[in-house]
Amino acid sequence: MKTVNDFLLARQAAFHADASEQFELAEQLKKSADDVRSEDECCEEAAMFYWAAAEKGHAQAQYELGHMYQFGLGVEKNFFVSARWYRRAAKQGHGEAIRRLAHLYRTGKGVRKSGFTAMFWVRMYDALLADRRKGRAAGCTAELPTPDSSEEDPARAAQMDGPTPAVRNGRRNGGPNNA
């Protein structure tokens, strides 16, 4: 019979496990709500393990963490953090993360609203689907190019979203009379 101490030791070991094992543990925890533990408690604990796996670069864990922050499942709802995790997964070619990130840019939740950047991600999603249909993207982990490489700095990311200032102001080539 396992004691509470055994459980705590197993949990501590899981934090030092590889990303796949952490992800699997998070998946099990997320689904383990029962009469004793509420769904919210399970999601809180799952978020810890998703976070650990996501920090190690696990794309599905990054997506799941973005989803949890977008909808406030076990964590406080935060669209900015959600977009950051979706972006990390999207850069690795995670299709659903790309789709959700495009939606956030289209609606301006957690990111600066930008039809240009939303369209960029929609095109990346379409290209990913086309590649998968052709069988080329099976197991693909190549990073995708992104319009905003400065996700950690919100001020810089806001500057990077969308067209250049000259285009936003209705001018081309930077000149006021060059329309």
Side-chain angles (χ1 to χ4, degrees):
M1 180 171 180
K2 290 195 174 196
T3 66
V4 171
N5 193 38
D6 291 335
F7 174 74
L8 293 175
L9 287 173
R11 189 171 167 217
Q12 183 179 13
F15 272 108
H16 301 290
D18 74 358
S20 303
E21 292 168 342
Q22 290 169 332
F23 174 78
E24 289 303 321
L25 180 58
E27 287 285 288
Q28 291 172 7
L29 285 167
K30 192 173 169 185
K31 298 173 186 171
S32 68
D34 56 19
D35 294 335
V36 179
R37 294 171 37 117
S38 71
E39 185 176 343
D40 208 37
E41 288 175 323
C42 294
C43 283
E44 282 179 33
E45 195 165 0
M48 291 188 299
F49 288 101
Y50 281 135
W51 188 285
E55 284 292 328
K56 292 178 181 175
H58 193 283
Q60 183 65 29
Q62 292 168 341
Y63 165 76
E64 292 293 339
L65 204 49
H67 180 79
M68 292 179 89
Y69 275 101
Q70 182 179 4
F71 296 101
L73 303 172
V75 294
E76 188 174 324
K77 187 184 274 191
N78 186 324
F79 289 107
F80 176 77
V81 175
S82 175
R84 186 174 65 203
W85 286 113
Y86 283 151
R87 188 178 298 111
R88 287 182 180 181
K91 286 180 180 180
Q92 295 186 63
H94 190 284
E96 187 62 20
I98 293 170
R99 195 179 69 74
R100 288 187 185 256
L101 188 59
H103 174 74
L104 291 179
Y105 275 104
R106 194 172 22 254
T107 60
K109 291 184 177 178
V111 293
R112 186 172 173 196
K113 189 174 183 176
S114 171
F116 175 81
T117 307
M119 185 53 67
F120 171 85
W121 287 110
V122 166
R123 288 186 178 154
M124 293 306 291
Y125 182 71
D126 290 344
L128 184 68
L129 288 179
D131 283 348
R132 286 189 179 158
R133 278 188 214 112
K134 293 177 184 175
R136 285 188 262 155
C140 177
T141 58
E143 288 195 11
L144 299 172
T146 61
D148 53 348
S149 59
S150 59
E151 68 184 70
E152 298 303 322
D153 181 1
R156 183 139 191 258
Q159 292 172 350
M160 298 289 288
D161 292 345
T164 62
V167 174
R168 275 195 298 260
N169 295 330
R171 300 175 303 192
R172 293 184 184 187
N173 301 328
N177 298 322
N178 294 344

